[in-house]
Amino acid sequence: MGQLLLITAIGSLFVTLLLVPLTKKVRHKELSSKAFSVLAAATFVVSFISVFLTVYISKIDLSWTIFLYVLPVVAIVGAILAVGAEQKIKSAIVLIGIIGIGYLVSAPFLNANEKYESSQMKEETEISPFDETKTPASVPPQFVKNKMKKAFGQVPNTSYYELGNLQIQKVNGAYVYIAPVEFSGFFKWFNGKTTPGYFTMSATDSSDNPKFVKAEMSYVPSAYLNKNLERHIRLQNPSLIFYGDPQLEIDEDGKPYYIRSYGEFISARNGFDVKGIVLVDAKTGKTEKIATADVPEFIDGAVSPETVSLQNSYYGNYVHGFWNSLVGKKDVKLPSDEGTEANVSPIFMEDGEMYYFTDFTSPKEGVDSMLGYALTHARTGEATYYTGNLEESYMDSQGALDIIEKKFIEKEWKGEMPVLYNFYGEASWLSAVLDANGFLQNYFIVSAANPEISAFGTTPNEALKLYKTALSRGGSTVDGTSNAEEAQATGEVVRVYKERVGDFTIVSFLTATGESFIVSSEVAPFAIYLQEGDKVVITYAKTGEDFQPVKALQIVGVK
């Protein structure tokens, strides 16, 4: 608060100097010392109150550039009241103020190159293959939100509150969604004073049920007056530049904190380059400013999704400057708007770190070809752009969602949260499929290079099993982490396990040689008759995996 009062006082002093005739001379008369003192004091007080209330109500920053908007207006009034040399000086200040506003207005046309430089990404071809033994965090947020709303009866004084925004996070090694309980209006805040806690639910297991965690919070986005979170942050940091909404993060002990990304304008009051976070204890309001490099490990999303979306826009649009983004559009690539948070999708990779995923498509209408995709580390802001296999044309996220919609057109199911993975060496879209009520029905995987190859199952791993056999049937290489060669083998079956998945049966079997194989009845219909003691002739992809995918199966003695 002290910094706010100081900046407000300095600003009010400048306003007073511009408005009040310092020579005490006005048109046709001269002010007495008493009148001058009263006028100066009144001007300072009124301007001080006006600036403070403006910041308090609008929560706008007090960066020095904000004063450029009011400088010419105040200087004009001061020039009208003044006479002689003072009038000329204040008239010159008016001109300076107009030039300053011109600088602010023209910034978006002039700083495109600086925006592009601030958003630079490392470039690579492909992400490493996904480990099928690790389930991706793939429960869609809309489904989680529906389940949390149905579990809202766990909240005491339920009528006072409503569910806040979801945030995915890793807590004690588990991937979870968290959502704060928020006030549902002013009078509910006035009576309740604090919110009782937050909900948590698994981000990988759709069968998990939401759990309410009691954790009293006073400083939340839905509170009012000084307890309003954004106002509290602004009063503590009046000159900081923020971008994106505050997000809830909990530490390993379950204690809730709110964070908000801060940074700098690229130039004038335009553009944004993230520099760190402001961390707020949701119960006490204790506030700490932390640079990006020093962000605590329990915070996964230090860089707000809105900031990442903005950086993606800079990287895709301004490769050759501002005007090229409007006319010509050479090498322009547009980030998709299919993400779950501010057009990006937060996901956890195999290293346990959270990244924001975005795919880029062509600005040409009617084209659903993907030009590349980006992964931005959610804590550091470091980004990598993947071009994909340049010899193949990949389908973008919208194309994947269109395929899902057509697949389930009669049921009116739709895909949500499409993310590109490298499954078995094949660039593949994984998307959750929701019904019209927002409830999870299955998971759908489709090849980005060969859209005719797809599979779906009730869980991600079930869909992966079917997708592996679909890839084998479709002629694509199912190679795990290395190039697989086609091989043949004969042997005696010593163990068999059959599992019904969807419309087909997945058969896993062990031969006397010690090798295990997997095949779908869709690929080999007679596999359903396989039993221990059978001799088999198989053609398979030699991947080196625990269960190698079979492309053709012949059971000796069975037609």
Side-chain angles (χ1 to χ4, degrees), residues 489-493 509 511 530 534-538 553-556:
T490 58
E492 181 181 349
V493 176
F509 60 95
T511 64
L530 191 66
D534 283 344
K535 289 184 170 52
V536 292
V537 179
I538 57 176
L553 170 70
Q554 179 184 353
I555 305 173
V556 178

Side-chain angles (χ1 to χ4, degrees), residues 224-526:
Y224 290 82
L225 302 179
N226 285 16
K227 293 298 180 71
N228 175 264
L229 178 68
E230 290 187 40
R231 179 172 292 114
H232 176 73
I233 294 175
R234 172 54 69 205
L235 295 179
Q236 303 298 316
N237 304 273
S239 61
L240 281 188
I241 311 303
F242 297 106
Y243 195 83
D245 296 328
Q247 298 183 94
L248 180 68
E249 295 266 351
I250 59 177
D251 65 14
E252 304 304 318
D253 297 322
K255 183 176 180 179
Y257 294 85
Y258 273 99
I259 64 170
R260 197 175 188 193
S261 298
Y262 77 85
E264 299 175 350
F265 292 121
I266 299 297
S267 65
R269 292 185 62 79
N270 184 257
F272 182 78
D273 189 18
V274 65
K275 296 298 180 184
I277 65 166
V278 169
L279 177 71
V280 181
D281 186 317
K283 182 177 182 179
T284 67
K286 181 181 178 182
T287 304
E288 184 180 0
K289 177 184 173 185
I290 307 174
T292 302
D294 302 322
V295 170
E297 288 190 9
F298 78 85
I299 294 176
D300 295 299
V303 182
S304 67
E306 293 88 351
T307 298
V308 175
S309 183
L310 189 67
Q311 297 294 320
N312 287 336
S313 176
Y314 294 161
Y315 186 75
N317 282 286
Y318 297 141
V319 60
H320 297 305
F322 176 80
W323 295 111
N324 180 71
S325 68
L326 300 179
V327 181
K329 301 186 178 181
K330 179 182 177 182
D331 296 329
V332 167
K333 42 190 178 288
L334 301 180
S336 75
D337 57 0
E338 301 301 334
T340 58
E341 292 186 30
N343 297 332
V344 298
S345 293
I347 59 173
F348 280 90
M349 302 301 287
E350 291 181 48
D351 58 4
E353 296 290 311
M354 190 169 95
Y355 293 79
Y356 292 111
F357 168 83
T358 313
D359 66 303
F360 291 74
T361 189
S362 170
K364 187 175 181 180
E365 292 186 11
V367 176
D368 62 1
S369 178
M370 185 185 70
L371 301 180
Y373 50 96
L375 289 175
T376 303
H377 195 282
R379 192 146 53 90
T380 66
E382 295 181 0
T384 302
Y385 181 75
Y386 298 89
T387 62
N389 189 336
L390 298 178
E391 296 179 357
E392 296 186 26
S393 177
Y394 288 161
M395 171 179 59
D396 64 13
S397 57
Q398 183 57 56
L401 294 178
D402 289 342
I403 287 177
I404 294 173
E405 185 174 355
K406 292 176 183 176
K407 181 74 174 179
F408 303 105
I409 190 169
E410 294 182 358
K411 297 181 178 180
E412 297 183 351
W413 293 356
K414 294 185 178 180
E416 182 178 300
M417 200 173 73
V419 176
L420 191 72
Y421 287 95
N422 190 333
F423 292 135
Y424 314 116
E426 183 87 3
S428 312
W429 288 104
L430 169 66
S431 175
V433 180
L434 306 182
D435 61 21
N437 296 316
F439 289 102
L440 181 65
Q441 295 299 323
N442 60 46
Y443 291 90
F444 194 93
I445 305 176
V446 58
S447 168
N450 303 286
E452 69 278 3
I453 302 175
S454 63
F456 60 91
T458 55
T459 67
N461 283 336
E462 182 180 299
L464 276 170
K465 286 183 180 179
L466 291 171
Y467 187 60
K468 179 188 285 188
T469 59
L471 283 171
S472 300
R473 185 184 71 252
S476 295
T477 303
V478 182
D479 58 7
T481 58
S482 62
N483 291 326
E485 61 183 43
E486 188 175 287
Q488 288 190 334
T490 58
E492 181 181 349
V493 176
V494 294
R495 292 287 188 275
V496 180
Y497 176 75
K498 299 174 184 177
E499 178 183 10
R500 184 72 177 179
V501 177
D503 296 330
F504 302 100
T505 300
I506 300 297
V507 180
S508 304
F509 60 95
L510 173 68
T511 64
T513 62
E515 293 181 289
S516 295
F517 302 89
I518 185 170
V519 64
S520 169
S521 61
E522 184 180 13
V523 175
F526 287 97

Side-chain angles (χ1 to χ4, degrees), residues 94-173:
V94 173
L95 180 60
I96 293 173
I98 293 174
I99 294 173
I101 290 180
Y103 167 65
L104 297 177
V105 173
S106 63
F109 305 99
L110 302 177
N111 63 7
N113 290 333
E114 287 80 3
K115 288 177 178 176
Y116 181 73
E117 289 299 323
S118 73
S119 66
Q120 281 299 296
M121 304 182 187
K122 294 184 296 183
E123 286 201 8
E124 294 185 14
T125 302
E126 292 284 2
I127 55 176
S128 59
F130 178 78
D131 184 351
E132 67 168 310
T133 64
K134 298 180 180 179
T135 304
S138 54
V139 179
Q142 182 59 46
F143 171 70
V144 174
K145 198 165 189 176
N146 284 345
K147 293 193 76 171
M148 287 184 176
K149 286 181 178 179
K150 290 186 177 299
F152 215 72
Q154 301 177 38
V155 180
N157 297 319
T158 306
S159 62
Y160 279 35
Y161 309 107
E162 61 188 14
L163 191 66
N165 294 327
L166 260 65
Q167 169 71 24
I168 192 171
Q169 193 180 348
K170 185 174 71 171
V171 182
N172 293 318

